[in-house]
């Protein structure tokens, strides 16, 4: 056989591909589900449901770390910077979902939260081969878009995903704050980030299937984190969404309901105030609560950086 050439009847050698055996808790076998394939449908569901009950308690144990991450994000956004999610597989897809939902829910500027998924947009729908193992790719993507003062949140169930760790390392070099969110409290990378959130969800019902408890925990943490950020930035009044984008009939109706709940005024009064405010919920709210005319309410919001509480304080003084 000539080097580099396959002769008739010969089989070309296939290059060995890298193999990694992950020792994270998410890869261990769950003793409660070893007979999963022998169970009835109802028993399978029971085992999964009982395992899922562990997740909220595991998230509760890391609330201090989530709070620290919220504070970093608020400081970054108030300083004109951005929040980035870098993830692969289920973790990365959950980051994309969280970032996508913030603009319609809170009318946040779309550049505030940027989601980066190993393998690119195509990876939302199918696995992109070896994308999560690309340490250099994660680093290059972060170096290209992360700036000093940004916050970068790495999402990796195992805590060791090369694409994510590459992005975090490059982000630190760029002067960004870094956070690692994973389901492995023992992750070696814990000491290389500003905040480490290791949610102890334990072994999965289906061994290694981190779309289950680990994914549920990441969804809960991301919901908690991003919602708290929006609250701290004044995009919630009481417990009401006041920066929402009314893109359909249901949401336009919700705007009226919010005004009624927030002010105690009759529905017709709220409809009229919203109309006079050109559909701007915050302006209508400040006008109704303070008793000021719409132009004064709008001016107060502008002076208070569009914070309802601040505008009300200005009008009260």
């Amino acid at each position: 056989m000539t080097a580099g050439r396959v002769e008739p009847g010969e089989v070309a050698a296939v290059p060995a591909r890298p193999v990694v055996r992950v020792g994270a808790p998410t890869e261990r076998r769950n003793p409660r589900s070893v007979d999963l394939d022998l169970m009835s449908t109802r028993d399978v569901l029971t085992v999964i449901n009982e395992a899922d009950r562990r997740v909220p308690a595991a998230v509760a144990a890391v609330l201090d770390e989530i709070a620290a991450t919220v504070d970093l994000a608020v400081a970054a956004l108030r300083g004109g910077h951005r929040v980035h999610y870098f993830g692969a597989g289920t973790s990365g897809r959950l980051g994309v979902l969280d970032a996508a939902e913030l603009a319609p829910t809170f009318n946040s500027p779309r550049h505030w939260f940027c989601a980066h998924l190993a393998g690119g947009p195509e990876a939302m729908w199918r696995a992109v081969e070896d994308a999560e193992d690309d340490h250099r790719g994660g680093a290059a993507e972060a170096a290209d878009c992360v700036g000093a003062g940004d916050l970068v949140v790495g999402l990796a169930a195992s805590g060791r995903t090369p694409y994510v760790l590459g992005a975090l390392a490059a982000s630190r070099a760029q002067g960004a704050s870094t956070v690692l969110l994973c389901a492995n409290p023992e992750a070696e990378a814990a000491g290389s980030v500003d905040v480490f959130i290791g949610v102890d969800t334990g072994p999965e019902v289906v061994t290694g299937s981190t779309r289950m408890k680990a994914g549920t925990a990441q969804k809960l943490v991301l919901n908690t984190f991003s919602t708290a950020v929006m609250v701290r930035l004044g995009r919630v009044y009481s417990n009401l969404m006041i920066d929402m984008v009314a893109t359909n009939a249901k949401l336009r109706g919700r705007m009226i309901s919010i005004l009624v709940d927030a002010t105690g005024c009759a529905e017709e009064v709220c409809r009229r105030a919203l109309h006079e405010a050109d559909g701007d919920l915050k302006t209508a709210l400040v006008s109704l609560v303070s008793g000021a005319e719409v132009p004064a309410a709008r001016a107060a919001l502008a002076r208070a950086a569009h914070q309802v509480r601040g505008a009300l304080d200005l009008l009260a003084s």
Side-chain angles (χ1 to χ4, degrees):
M1 175 178 176
T2 304
R5 179 179 174 184
V6 180
E7 301 293 341
E10 294 180 329
V11 178
V14 178
R17 302 180 69 183
V19 175
V20 175
R21 297 189 65 188
V22 178
T26 54
E27 297 295 321
R28 297 170 190 162
R29 294 189 71 187
N30 188 328
R32 295 180 180 275
S33 61
V34 291
D35 292 326
L36 194 67
D37 63 332
L38 302 176
M39 296 179 185
S40 69
T41 299
R42 186 64 169 77
D43 286 344
V44 169
L45 299 178
T46 298
V47 169
I48 293 173
N49 181 253
E50 288 177 348
D52 286 344
R53 294 179 189 178
R54 175 174 178 168
V55 177
V59 172
V62 295
L63 288 182
D64 286 344
E65 291 82 358
I66 299 173
T69 305
V70 170
D71 291 342
L72 287 173
V74 170
L77 294 173
R78 283 180 174 164
H81 305 292
R82 299 186 292 175
V83 175
H84 299 263
Y85 294 147
F86 280 88
T90 297
S91 301
R93 295 182 188 105
L94 289 170
V96 172
L97 177 63
D98 192 70
E101 290 180 336
L102 294 177
T105 305
F106 299 104
N107 198 23
S108 62
R110 292 191 177 275
H111 67 272
W112 273 11
F113 280 74
C114 307
H116 309 271
L117 178 60
E122 186 180 359
M124 279 296 293
W125 307 105
R126 70 175 187 86
V128 176
E129 192 171 330
D130 293 331
E132 72 172 51
D133 295 328
D134 191 358
H135 187 283
R136 289 183 179 179
E141 190 166 349
D144 186 55
C145 65
V146 174
D150 286 354
L151 172 66
V152 175
V153 181
L155 308 170
S158 66
R160 59 152 303 278
T161 306
Y163 169 85
V164 174
L165 297 187
L168 288 171
S171 298
R172 286 195 301 276
Q174 297 285 91
S177 298
T178 55
V179 176
L180 175 60
L181 167 59
C182 69
N184 180 10
E186 306 161 6
E188 292 183 9
S192 62
V193 290
D194 295 298
V195 180
F196 173 67
I197 307 175
V199 190
D200 187 9
T201 55
E204 299 288 2
V205 170
V206 175
T207 306
S209 180
T210 52
R211 59 179 287 272
M212 301 184 77
K213 284 190 298 180
T216 300
Q218 289 192 324
K219 173 64 172 168
L220 288 179
V221 172
L222 289 172
N223 272 359
T224 303
F225 160 69
S226 58
T227 300
V229 170
M230 294 298 117
V231 171
R232 301 299 340 141
L233 291 173
R235 291 179 177 263
V236 173
Y237 174 77
S238 181
N239 61 350
L240 302 169
M241 293 185 291
I242 54 169
D243 256 310
M244 58 178 287
V245 180
T247 55
N248 57 46
K250 180 190 74 173
L251 296 179
R252 287 188 288 273
R254 183 179 292 168
M255 292 179 79
I256 300 298
S257 298
I258 287 171
L259 284 175
V260 171
D261 289 342
T263 67
C265 295
E267 180 176 330
E268 185 54 39
V269 172
C270 292
R271 286 180 180 274
R272 185 166 58 250
L274 190 60
H275 175 73
E276 292 174 355
D278 298 322
D280 189 316
L281 178 57
K282 289 170 104 172
T283 299
L285 175 60
V286 171
S287 175
L288 288 172
V289 172
S290 67
E293 296 294 328
V294 164
R298 186 176 288 117
L301 277 166
R303 290 171 57 201
H306 300 282
Q307 305 291 300
V308 168
R309 297 283 186 186
L312 291 174
D313 288 343
L314 287 173
L315 291 169
S317 61

